[in-house]
Amino acid sequence: MEATDRGEDGLVSRLTVIEEQALDARAEAYAQVHDELREQLEGGDVQRG
């Protein structure tokens, strides 16, 4: 699977934009990315019966 298929290019672009922000905005943006990624990962923990 290519990086673009997994959305990695979008994440890298988003992180690049975050890095260019002021420290307080950067911290908030990283927290938001963290929460979104955690939700995606935890969504894969659904039990299948």
Side-chain angles (χ1 to χ4, degrees), residues 18-41:
I18 291 171
E19 277 296 312
E20 296 172 353
Q21 297 177 4
L23 183 59
D24 57 341
R26 204 166 50 221
E28 186 175 327
Y30 277 129
Q32 183 178 5
V33 169
H34 172 268
D35 291 343
E36 291 172 11
L37 291 173
R38 186 187 69 230
E39 287 177 21
Q40 286 180 1
L41 290 171

